[in-house]
Structure formats: C-alpha cells, structure tokens
Amino acid sequence: MQKILVTGAAGQIGSELTMALRRKYGNENVIGTAHKTKPDEALLESGPCHFIDCTEINTIAEMVEKYKVDTIYHLASILSAVAEQNPQFAWNVNMFGLYNVLEVAREYKCAVFTPSSIGAFGPAAPLNKTPQDTIQRPSTMYGITKVAGELLCDYYFKRFGVDTRGVRYPGLISHKTLPGGGTTDYAVKIFYEAVKQRKYTCYLKAGTYLDMMYMPDALRAAIDLMEANPSRLKHRNAFNVTAMSVAPEDIAAEIKRIIPEFTMDFKVDPVRQAIAESWPNNMDDSAAREEWGWKPEYDLESMTKDMIENISQKLKIKID
Ligand code: NAD
Ligand code: AKB
C-alpha cells in the first residue's frame, strides 16, 4: 500500500489532489501538509494533516519517517505573479523547497511528483505547438525556478535513482480553491465574476492565447503519470500537457452562451501581460500522449458549463 505525502495541500491543486488521492489510496495513507493557509474542514478531518515549511528539511523528513512515506507530491510553490513581486522569496521557496524534498526522497527512497509549468518556456521558444524538447530561456523568476527544478529532478533520477516524474501544467481552472497568485488566474476569476456581477474586467489583453486545463484533468494527469509503467517513460520530468488554448474573449463568449447578459472589458496589467506574452500559445503534448496515454476529457464548452453550475451552487446564486 502506498503512503503518500502532499506538500502545498491547502493550495489550488493540493486541496483537490489530496482528496482525490485519499479516495484512491485510502484516507489514512495520504498525509496532507500545509504551510500558513489552513486547509478546509473536509481535508483536515478526512485524514492526517500537518503544518510544515518545506524550506526546513527536517519538517519534511519528520513526516516521511513518522508515516513511512514512499511517494511525495510536492506542490508547495510561489506562483508567477507573486514571484515577480518578491523574486528572492520565490527562489528560496521554489528551489530550496524542491531540493529538500529531493534530498529526503533520496535518503528515504521515495518517488516524487513535481509540477513544472508553461512558465518554464520563454520568448525564445516557439509560441505555437511548443515542442516537448526545445529552447527554455524564461524571463521570469518563476520560470527560472521551474527550469532549474526540471533539471534538478532529472539529475536526482539519473544520479541517485530517485523516481522523479512531472508535468508542465498549463493554467488550471477550478471552482474549489482560488488560485494562488499566477498569471492565468483571470481564467478562474472570470467565472466567479460572471456568476456574481455578470461582468468582468480582464487584466490580460484580448488575443492573449494561453494553454489551460480543467482541474479534474490536471488531477488525473498527476495520478496517471505516477502510476505509469516507468519503462515507457523517456522524458519522466516535465511532460507538456494541455487541454485547450484560449484567449479571454473565448472564455467570455462561452460564458455568454449560459449567461447572455455577461460583459467583459479590459484594464491591462503590464506585468502579467508581459509574462503571458512570453509563454506558449499552445504546447505540443504528444510525448505525454505516447509515453503514458495522456488525454484530456474537458474542453472549453464542458468546462464552462461545469464551472458555472458549481460556482452558482457554492455562492447560492441562481442562473436562469
Ligand atoms: P498555490 O499557490 O495554490 O498553492 C501552493 C501552496 O504552497 C500554498 O498553499 C502555500 O501555502 C504553500 N507554501 C508556500 N510556501 C510554502 C513553504 N515554505 N512550505 C510549505 N508550503 C508552502 O499553488 P497551486 O496552484 O496549487 O500550484 C501547485 C504547483 O503546481 C506549483 O508548483 C505550481 O507552480 C504548479 N502549477 C500550478 C498551475 C496552476 O495553474 N495552478 C499551473 C502550472 C503549474
Ligand atoms: C501561473 O500563472 O503562475 C500558474 C502557471 C501557469 O504556472 N497558473
């Protein structure tokens, strides 16, 4: 039976991935760990939960030893927009956090899942059909930590045999936990504002295409990759995965099919706009499809319907 540790369990992905892992492997076998943000009651009550700081290696090692952990899903991180506000802090959490997790994994023989991001690419990479293997020269601190993290995970596999695996997630859209300060956060906020106000002011320009994915697909990607037959994995870390390539007006048009009075205007944030323009419009995820059978289930239409249903239920706002 697997014993799993999740870092960043109160975050946008962690809050849902911890529960998905508990449903699959058993509540007692999945240890959720958070930092300053308290996880919700369901997560706190359904299985073991602790507070750790991943920049302190002992706090990770204690958890792994106490629960005899054999697999770590390392989600603790600082996202792109927050990282640009405080790059030194982002380097510390993203790099030392990952290094500590890998060192503990080496010592205790754990497998490690670490998400990279579309942010690992920069303006020099092809923007369309961005290949799995291409030039990676990101212009953000977030992206720099993601490329360095991908390389570090490859190194720990090749040098020490640590079973490291990871994906380059696109912007993730979900209705349970709000995103933690990224460039793609607009694609979640637009749904909340559509339900609450019937209007949204977008901080990215019309025509800014980015890869996106609905959270159920993102959770499946992580679990399927960790369950994949290792002999088929040629890339291991940092598989491109995507589900849709959309610009703000595409999401707005889909929302309007359900909420016809919805309107969107623009007030561009130059920092997040510059980051978005340096990221792929759409990635080529054929390596993930070939090596471990990756295939998304949600497209823009099915995701929009599900997001609006869930947010209107959560906020108790009826959509006619
Ligand atoms: P998030 O910001 O929602 O959650 C990250 C969590 O890390 C937070 O709950 C925070 O409290 C915790 N944390 C911060 N500092 C910590 C520390 N020192 N010790 C322990 N925990 C700490 O992020 P997320 O969206 O859930 O992202 C998880 C991972 O997936 C990150 O590596 C992120 O880069 C990657 N990713 C996310 C997206 C996305 O759209 N959400 C896209 C691509 C990649
Ligand atoms: C961000 O915008 O920082 C994240 C990501 C795509 O990595 N959502």
Side-chain angles (χ1 to χ4, degrees):
M1 178 52 79
Q2 284 191 19
K3 279 275 182 188
I4 297 171
L5 181 80
V6 183
T7 71
Q12 188 191 6
I13 304 177
S15 60
E16 298 203 44
L17 184 60
T18 307
M19 298 305 278
L21 291 166
R22 283 184 178 165
R23 284 192 292 276
K24 187 169 171 69
Y25 299 105
N27 288 346
E28 289 310 308
N29 296 319
V30 181
I31 299 94
T33 63
H35 185 219
K36 290 186 176 156
T37 312
K38 199 172 155 216
D40 66 19
E41 290 304 311
L43 199 146
L44 282 173
E45 284 165 13
S46 59
C49 220
H50 294 268
F51 288 85
I52 68 163
D53 180 346
C54 69
T55 64
E56 310 265 346
I57 193 165
N58 292 345
T59 67
I60 306 166
E62 275 164 23
M63 288 293 113
V64 168
E65 207 167 303
K66 177 175 159 88
Y67 289 100
K68 310 261 174 290
V69 165
D70 53 39
T71 305
I72 305 174
Y73 284 75
H74 178 50
L75 306 175
S77 177
I78 305 301
L79 273 72
S80 59
V82 177
E84 277 324 287
Q85 283 161 13
N86 195 342
Q88 296 80 2
F89 171 63
W91 174 266
N92 189 41
V93 174
N94 294 4
M95 290 319 307
F96 290 112
L98 176 59
Y99 172 77
N100 289 341
V101 163
L102 290 171
E103 269 299 290
V104 171
R106 180 180 67 78
E107 197 177 335
Y108 292 89
K109 304 202 180 331
C110 303
V112 179
F113 173 83
T114 316
S116 184
S117 159
I118 48 173
F121 295 108
L127 284 179
N128 293 312
K129 283 299 223 184
T130 310
Q132 173 66 43
D133 301 307
T134 187
I135 186 162
Q136 288 180 266
R137 301 284 293 176
S139 46
T140 62
M141 178 52 92
Y142 179 66
I144 291 165
T145 66
K146 287 299 174 191
V147 178
E150 292 179 6
L151 295 172
L152 200 59
C153 288
D154 281 345
Y155 181 82
Y156 269 71
F157 171 63
K158 288 195 190 113
R159 176 74 203 269
F160 302 119
V162 177
D163 183 0
T164 53
R165 306 185 190 191
V167 294
R168 292 185 186 123
Y169 277 134
L172 300 183
I173 299 176
S174 66
H175 54 78
K176 184 171 178 200
T177 303
L178 288 173
T183 303
T184 60
D185 293 14
Y186 90 83
V188 175
K189 289 182 188 145
I190 191 172
F191 288 101
Y192 278 88
E193 293 310 304
V195 171
K196 284 195 284 195
Q197 317 274 3
R198 310 292 200 255
K199 61 179 187 192
Y200 176 64
T201 300
C202 187
Y203 58 77
L204 293 186
K205 282 183 198 161
T208 310
Y209 278 88
L210 289 167
D211 284 295
M212 298 282 173
M213 185 185 291
Y214 198 31
M215 188 59 85
D217 280 332
L219 304 181
R220 210 165 37 76
I223 295 171
D224 285 359
L225 176 57
M226 290 309 278
E227 293 263 326
N229 178 348
S231 68
R232 288 185 61 201
L233 303 180
K234 293 191 204 99
H235 288 87
R236 284 199 152 259
N237 290 296
F239 281 96
N240 287 359
V241 287
T242 185
M244 58 194 97
S245 166
V246 291
E249 66 273 24
D250 298 329
I251 305 182
E254 204 54 47
I255 291 173
K256 262 175 103 61
R257 282 155 54 105
I258 303 173
I259 307 175
E261 64 274 34
F262 177 68
T263 58
M264 179 169 71
D265 59 7
F266 297 89
K267 185 165 185 263
V268 174
D269 167 12
V271 175
R272 284 178 288 185
Q273 182 64 37
I275 296 176
E277 284 176 13
S278 75
W279 288 357
N281 297 337
N282 57 78
M283 288 186 291
D284 174 1
D285 62 2
S286 51
R289 288 172 188 260
E290 279 157 27
E291 292 177 39
W292 48 280
W294 159 249
K295 192 168 184 276
E297 283 175 2
Y298 283 87
D299 60 11
L300 179 59
E301 186 183 348
S302 51
M303 176 189 73
T304 301
K305 190 166 169 290
D306 205 59
M307 278 293 281
I308 291 177
E309 269 171 26
N310 277 285
I311 293 171
S312 56
Q313 263 174 33
K314 179 170 162 177
L315 302 179
K316 299 188 176 46
I317 299 175
K318 205 163 166 294
I319 305 291
D320 301 319

